[in-house]
Amino acid sequence: MRCKTVLISLFISLNVFGQSRNEDLLFSYKTDAHSVAVDVLGNHYLIGNTRIEMFDDNGKKKYEYNSSISDRIYSVDISRALRPLVYFKEQGRVDYLDNTLSLQNNSIDLFSLPFDRIGAVAASVDNHIWIYDEARNEVFRLDESLNVISSSGNLGNWLPMGMEEVIMHEDRDRLYLADAETGIVMFDLYGNFVAQLITKPIDDFFLGDGGIYFLSDKGWFFYHHLTKNETAVIFEPTFAPCRVAGGRLYVLNNNYLQVFRFVRE
């Protein structure tokens, strides 16, 4: 799939079109997953309510993880490909898997920690973990012994209190935090505010190609770290869950995963 882009400007209209091309389709298969992720090794993951499946770059299924039917998966962080993190928000638990999606014996009982209402978690370097406390409106970084080693302080200067739709990802010693109303802000590993990058509602985002792909109420956009420009990126369908990695576009569409060759023009 080739995607046309246009720089957002007060002087340029966003009348842009993209087109799916059958010859760019590498493979597709049926799935009931609600989200897709891609790790640094080129494996892709299909994530459902209680199941995670791993596939290689040819679409061959490698491994599968199934949680208890009563344990609904809230989010999965595969930024550390050898140690995927699975967050069960309702159960207040974090599970760690290995590179075969086998459950490890170091689960974290979040309800036992001195936080009020944990809304999001993310993996961090050195086997550390980020936690966002909705009640305190604060981000904490914990070490392997679950000791707090850094925190942001109250985020009220940048984000509203009581955010409930928070997404966090760490990349290259930076934590990116987005919420459904405000946008994306960036912190360093010590919890210090670095920059407000995007100031519009965010439904989803992922990092890649030297920037941030993010989904707003007008579709998918790309924010370039160097130029600071936001670019409209036309995926089809417009609001479909998707990921871009390794020159490929992964799209969930009508109970199918479709994998295309991808070039951002």
Side-chain angles (χ1 to χ4, degrees):
M1 174 180 284
R2 294 183 179 273
C3 296
K4 297 181 180 179
T5 60
V6 59
L7 291 181
I8 296 175
S9 169
L10 294 176
F11 308 105
I12 303 177
S13 89
L14 290 177
N15 188 18
V16 189
F17 300 91
Q19 183 178 3
S20 298
R21 294 174 46 173
N22 290 334
E23 63 266 30
D24 289 331
L25 179 66
L26 297 173
F27 54 84
S28 69
Y29 45 83
K30 194 171 181 62
T31 178
D32 60 358
H34 57 66
S35 58
V36 59
V38 186
D39 68 23
V40 295
L41 303 177
N43 301 306
H44 62 276
Y45 301 73
L46 293 176
I47 302 161
N49 291 332
T50 60
R51 183 173 67 249
I52 304 170
E53 298 171 287
M54 180 200 292
F55 299 80
D56 66 18
D57 58 1
N58 294 313
K60 180 181 178 180
K61 185 173 176 178
K62 299 172 66 177
Y63 305 108
E64 179 175 323
Y65 163 82
N66 290 278
S67 68
S68 164
I69 193 170
S70 62
D71 292 353
R72 183 184 178 91
I73 296 170
Y74 185 79
S75 65
V76 177
D77 189 333
I78 48 84
S79 57
R80 274 69 191 171
L82 302 181
R83 196 172 186 252
L85 178 156
V86 186
Y87 176 38
F88 299 91
K89 186 174 183 179
E90 293 178 359
Q91 287 71 33
R93 190 179 81 245
V94 167
D95 284 348
Y96 287 103
L97 311 180
D98 64 15
N99 61 342
T100 68
L101 299 188
S102 298
L103 181 65
Q104 302 302 286
N105 59 0
N106 53 351
S107 297
I108 300 174
D109 178 7
L110 298 175
F111 289 155
S112 69
L113 302 180
F115 300 103
D116 297 318
R117 193 168 69 244
I118 296 173
V121 302
S124 182
V125 295
D126 300 324
N127 292 331
H128 294 175
I129 185 173
W130 289 102
I131 287 177
Y132 169 67
D133 189 325
E134 295 174 352
R136 301 184 193 181
N137 198 27
E138 189 169 359
V139 174
F140 299 87
R141 186 167 179 249
L142 280 59
D143 63 17
E144 286 190 273
S145 299
L146 304 181
N147 299 308
V148 175
I149 56 175
S150 60
S151 63
S152 64
N154 190 283
L155 300 175
N157 288 332
W158 310 287
L159 298 169
M161 286 292 294
M163 297 182 298
E164 296 183 354
E165 298 294 333
V166 169
I167 309 169
M168 297 193 300
H169 297 298
E170 183 188 287
D171 183 61
R172 299 183 184 182
D173 295 340
R174 291 290 186 265
L175 175 69
Y176 299 83
L177 186 151
D179 85 291
E181 299 297 330
T182 306
I184 298 179
V185 292
M186 181 170 64
F187 301 88
D188 64 19
L189 292 182
Y190 302 99
N192 298 314
F193 173 80
V194 176
Q196 174 112 30
L197 303 178
I198 298 165
T199 56
K200 60 183 63 174
I202 302 294
D203 293 321
D204 190 13
F205 81 95
F206 59 94
L207 306 165
D209 294 340
I212 305 170
Y213 289 91
F214 66 94
L215 178 63
S216 75
D217 58 356
K218 297 185 184 300
W220 282 96
F221 291 76
F222 179 74
Y223 171 88
H224 200 289
H225 282 309
L226 292 179
T227 65
K228 313 301 182 187
N229 288 322
E230 293 178 12
T231 306
V233 183
I234 307 303
F235 296 145
E236 293 182 353
T238 304
F239 297 98
C242 68
R243 289 296 183 265
V244 173
R248 293 182 173 188
L249 170 64
Y250 301 78
V251 181
L252 285 174
N253 181 23
N254 292 326
N255 293 321
Y256 278 85
L257 175 73
Q258 299 173 310
V259 181
F260 297 89
R261 295 185 183 89
F262 176 80
V263 177
R264 212 166 38 87
E265 295 179 344

